[in-house]
Every structure is written in C-alpha cells, then in structure tokens.
C-alpha cells in the first residue's frame, strides 16, 4: 500500500521563463503557492501526490522537445473545483482528470486544470497531462542538462516543473515510475531500479521505479551513450554507475571506492536507506555535483582533470552520498530547512577528510568560524537564509548553509558530547526515514537525546546575526564583517 503523506507545507519559485501552453478557455485562472518563505509561488494546496508516472520519448537529439505524458495519482485533502500543477517551458496538448477530458489554462508558472466534476475531499484523483518537455533554454535555469551525448536532470532547487507537471516542493514526496523510449544506441538510467526493458525495431523502452518516496527536485533521468557499471556494495547492496563509455576504464579507480564510502557512512549513521546507489558521471559543465536520489550527478571533470587531490575528490563523493540520508531520505519540509541537508553533507565530507585524508576537522571548523559572521551578514543565519537574489534562484546555496551549517553541528557536538551527538544522528535518520522534517523537529530531538533543553543554544546558532562563542574554544574569533558580497551561483557540491 502506498504511504499517503499528510504534510502540508509546499512551495518554490523559478526564474521567469514563459511556458507555451495550449489551453482551452478557463475563466480567471490564478497561480497558487503554499507560502514557502524562500519560494512562495510554487507548490499547491489541497492535495498530496502519491505517485508520478512519467513517459518520455527521446529521439536521440538533445536540442528538440521530448514528447511526454505525466500521470499523477493524488489524494485530495479538501474539496477541489480546480487543481493547480507547477509547469513551465513546455506545451500542454491535453489533460484528463479521472480519465475524462478537462479544460486547462496557464497562470504564471502554474497549469490550472478545471476538472469535469468537482473532486471530493478525501478522495483519489488521477491526472494525465500530455505535453512536451523542452531541454532548450538558459543553461543556469535548471531542469534538463544537455550533456555531450544526451540529457540528464538537475532540478534543485525549483526546476522540476521545467521538465514535468508536478507539485514542485520537497514537502510533497511521492513514488516515481519513469518510462523512456529512445534509440537502441542510447542507454537510459533513472532513479530507483530498472524493472523492464524491451526492444522493437530501432527503439528500446526502459522502465524504472523508485522503492521509496522522493522529492521532485531529486528526480533523475539520464539518456546518453553511456555504460552502466554494476557491482555489489555492503550487505549485497546493488550499485550501478553510469559513465561515458569511452572513459569507463579511466574512471574505475574512483568508482570502486563507493562500497568503502558506504561502509564508512553506515558506521556513522546506520544502514543505507535506499535500494541502490551509484554515480552518474556526465560530459557537462554544470559547476556543481548533485544528490539526485540513488544516482548522484557528477561532472566528469571532477575525476579526469587531475586538478584536485585524491582526498578532496573522495570527500566530495562522500558529500553527495551523505545526502542520500540527509536531504533525500530525510527531506526538508521547507527550503529554510536547507541547512539540515547541506550542513550534514558538509559535516560528513569534512569528517571523512579528517579520518581518511588527514585534513584536520578542527582546522576546517576554525576557519569556518572565522568567516561565519561575514557569511551570516551576506546570506542570513543558517536556518533563516535570505531570499534568493533577484533572477538568481540558486543563490540560496551560500557558504552559510554549507560549512556555516556544519559549524553548527560541530558546536552541537562540543555542547552535548560526541556520544550523544552520534546517537542523535542515528535517531534523526531513523525516525524521519522516507519523510519530511523541519528544523524544529531536529532541535526537539536533540534536546530529547541530550536530556536537557537546547532551545537557547539553537536559537543563537541557527538564527543569530552573530556567531555565538564556540563551546570548548573560547579563543576562536570571527573576523569583522568586511565586504562579504553575496555570490550568485552554486557550490561545487550540493
């Protein structure tokens, strides 16, 4: 039986990019949002998505729209006379609701659907949208990434609705099925496990299905001239890496590290939370790596240029792996909770570099402390980041949510002790597995594990304009705020 999530908070806002939507006349359609503090215009009230079934037809060219059909199985939490979906940058050809044709129109970046009959509260509805999915557009807009030999997805933070109609907010997790038809020369890989493949003439059809609910921002479909490298991880875990065929041998020295990375993470926080894992290494200049669920996206250049020391590449691989627990399995309920994702991934990145690469964690944290006041001034405190810069949605990925938030975890370990901290980490990923969770959930659990009220500690560290004194290190100083201008763009890890 599918889990029916009941959490209500959803929303995001994408860079203005007009959707070309063919629509029947629908009077006064209005865009909706759920009021996320950072992305107030995305996400839609009144329903929970249970499952997406997304069919894509790829003709072997990444410079033309794909034909697509997105089916959404949802649960109405209140009576609905209209249903809003987030969708832009595609042409809608038709919509059905419960197998009956429905009128539709566009409003902002919403697809507004007028069902043929009102949807009762506490009922299921199936929406089917026949549309195109266009990989063309600004390189930094997100959604489809055009690689040297095909396509991949990079939907974080708010770009899934540039690819498929959705309720595009991490608080509404759902199961996914991907059905992709492509030329036989193309390898298709997606989140989860492959459950079917069939060939007919010069085409092949692939079906992938997730075994756990997933946020829209973590969806991944890769189509290219790739090789899938399979191996086993700890306790028989199925691992699959997707690599450019010509570089399969060159990349093996990195790929074979993953089982040991997983073993290390499991020693820290417990069993890997999904059915499979692997690296998707793309011929694309994205400027970042990304924790798409069960299949982390990496730039090829991270591994092939020789520009980075081995310990650094290892730690970046661990950063994206750590996200499978922190961000993917336990997903933020709002984008202001982003520090829980990036702070934890940066923490385990730094801890791995400390234990395996002889890069002292205390040195890294002391350097972060020295810059923390400047980071807070530029980007806001960790749990109350400033809104995205105008026209730069990815500017929420600032230093304060990376090492600035790992610094909070370091301070917490100093405050409650290593044993309690490690118990907290394990309890966090266990109690909120496959669900969404908030900053308040984390602080409440931390107080419970520590056996005392940590409200004052977290209020200062997560919301203060100034960095509090570091427990155990009264000599640490944060530099005076100078010219910490906000830098738009993405970190090398996300």
């Amino acid at each position: 039986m599918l889990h029916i999530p009941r959490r209500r908070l959803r929303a995001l806002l994408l860079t203005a990019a007009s959707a070309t939507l063919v629509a029947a006349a629908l009077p006064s359609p209005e865009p909706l949002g759920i009021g996320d503090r950072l992305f107030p215009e995305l996400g839609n009230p009144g329903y929970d998505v249970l499952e997406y079934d997304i069919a894509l037809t790829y003709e072997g060219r990444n410079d033309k729209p794909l034909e697509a059909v997105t089916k959404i199985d949802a649960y109405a939490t209140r009576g609905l006379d209209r249903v809003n979906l987030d969708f832009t940058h595609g042409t809608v050809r038709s919509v059905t609701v419960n197998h009956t044709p429905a009128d539709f129109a566009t409003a902002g970046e919403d697809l507004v659907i007028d069902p043929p009959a009102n949807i009762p509260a506490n009922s299921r509805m199936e929406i089917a949208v026949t549309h195109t999915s266009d990989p063309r557009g600004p390189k930094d807009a997100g959604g489809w990434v055009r690689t040297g030999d095909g396509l991949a997805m990079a939907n974080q933070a708010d770009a899934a609705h540039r690819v498929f109609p959705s309720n595009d907010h991490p608080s509404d997790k759902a199961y996914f099925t991907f059905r992709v038809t492509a030329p036989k020369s193309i390898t298709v890989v997606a989140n989860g496990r492959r459950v079917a493949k069939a060939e007919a003439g010069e085409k092949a059809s692939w079906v992938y299905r997730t075994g756990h609910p997933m946020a829209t921002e973590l969806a991944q479909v890769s189509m290219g001239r790739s090789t899938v490298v399979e191996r086993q991880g700890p306790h028989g875990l199925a691992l699959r890496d997707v690599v450019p065929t010509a570089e399969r041998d060159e990349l093996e020295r990195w790929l074979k590290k993953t089982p040991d990375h997983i073993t290390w993470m499991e020693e820290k926080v417990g069993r890997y939370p999904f059915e499979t894992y692997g690296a998707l290494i793309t011929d694309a200049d994205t400027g970042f790596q990304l924790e798409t669920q069960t299949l982390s996206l990496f730039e090829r250049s991270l591994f092939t240029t020789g520009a980075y020391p081995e310990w650094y590449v290892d730690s970046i691989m661990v950063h994206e792996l750590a996200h499978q627990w922190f961000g993917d399995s336990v997903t933020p309920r709002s984008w202001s909770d982003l520090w829980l994702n990036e702070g934890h991934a940066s923490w385990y990145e730094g801890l791995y570099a400390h234990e395996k690469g002889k890069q002292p964690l205390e040195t890294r944290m002391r350097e972060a402390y020295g810059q923390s006041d400047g980071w807070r001034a530029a980007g806001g405190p960790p749990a109350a980041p400033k809104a995205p810069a105008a026209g730069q949605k990815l500017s929420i990925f600032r230093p304060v949510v990376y090492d600035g938030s790992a610094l909070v975890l370091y301070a917490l370990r100093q405050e409650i002790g290593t044993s309690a901290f490690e118990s907290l980490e394990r309890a966090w990923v266990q109690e909120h597995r496959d669900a969404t969770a908030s900053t308040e959930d984390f602080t409440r659990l931390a107080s419970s594990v520590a056996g005392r009220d940590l409200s004052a500690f977290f209020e200062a560290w997560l919301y203060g304009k100034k960095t509090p004194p570091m427990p155990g290190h009264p000599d640490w100083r944060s530099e005076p705020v100078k010219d910490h201008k906000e830098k738009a763009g993405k970190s090398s890890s996300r």
Side-chain angles (χ1 to χ4, degrees), residues 171-358:
S171 62
D172 193 4
K173 298 171 71 166
Y175 292 84
F176 279 73
T177 298
F178 297 97
R179 307 174 192 274
V180 183
T181 300
K184 286 198 298 187
S185 60
I186 298 298
T187 298
V188 176
V189 184
N191 308 96
R193 293 191 180 209
R194 193 181 84 189
V195 296
K197 181 187 177 185
E199 295 185 358
E202 296 303 311
K203 301 286 187 180
S205 296
W206 309 68
V207 182
Y208 287 84
R209 186 166 294 132
T210 65
H212 299 262
M214 180 171 70
T216 51
E217 48 127 350
L218 302 173
Q220 182 59 265
V221 177
S222 164
M223 296 167 280
R225 300 182 186 279
S226 306
T227 293
V228 178
V229 182
E230 298 181 336
R231 71 188 83 226
Q232 276 197 347
H235 45 78
L237 178 67
L239 303 180
R240 45 81 194 261
D241 299 302
V242 185
V243 301
T245 298
E247 292 163 309
R248 187 256 179 269
D249 292 339
E250 178 184 358
L251 291 167
E252 175 61 17
R253 66 175 290 237
W254 299 108
L255 303 179
K256 68 183 182 181
K257 291 171 176 282
T258 297
D260 287 342
H261 292 165
I262 294 174
T263 296
W264 184 85
M265 277 298 304
E266 288 190 334
E267 290 171 352
K268 302 302 180 187
V269 296
R271 189 84 166 228
Y272 176 76
F274 298 120
E275 64 272 22
T276 185
Y277 185 65
L280 167 58
I281 301 177
T282 61
D283 178 16
D285 180 17
T286 60
F288 59 85
Q289 329 304 325
L290 184 62
E291 66 275 14
T292 43
Q293 190 162 306
T294 72
L295 189 62
S296 292
L297 176 69
F298 293 93
E299 293 180 294
R300 180 180 62 177
S301 61
L302 176 69
F303 306 98
T304 60
T305 63
Y308 310 103
E310 184 168 1
W311 70 263
Y312 176 80
V313 177
D314 274 342
S315 68
I316 295 302
M317 293 177 72
V318 169
H319 179 110
E320 303 309 332
L321 172 63
H323 271 307
Q324 303 300 311
W325 284 265
F326 301 95
D328 294 11
S329 179
V330 184
T331 302
R333 197 165 298 157
S334 78
W335 279 107
S336 294
D337 301 314
L338 177 63
W339 80 274
L340 288 166
N341 296 17
E342 300 301 348
H344 275 102
S346 298
W347 170 258
Y348 289 104
E349 170 194 332
L351 191 60
Y352 187 90
H354 171 80
E355 293 187 3
K356 302 294 186 178
K358 299 181 180 179

Side-chain angles (χ1 to χ4, degrees), residues 409-488:
L409 298 175
Y410 182 82
L412 178 60
R413 192 179 71 166
Q414 294 288 106
E415 178 74 16
I416 67 175
T418 299
S419 178
F421 179 81
E422 291 176 349
S423 296
L424 167 63
E425 295 289 273
R426 287 176 169 272
W428 175 250
V429 297
Q430 181 177 346
E431 291 189 15
H432 298 285
R433 184 180 182 184
D434 288 340
T436 64
S438 67
T439 297
E440 291 72 21
D441 292 324
F442 185 80
T443 60
R444 187 182 308 114
L445 182 61
S447 293
S448 175
V449 170
R452 58 190 173 92
D453 185 2
L454 294 171
S455 299
F457 172 88
F458 282 117
E459 180 66 25
W461 276 95
L462 292 176
Y463 299 100
K465 293 182 179 180
K466 298 287 187 179
T467 311
M470 176 60 70
H473 295 287
D475 58 318
W476 286 15
R477 297 287 182 269
S478 192
E479 298 173 358
V481 178
K482 297 178 182 177
D483 184 20
H484 284 83
K485 294 182 179 179
E486 181 174 304
K487 184 178 180 181

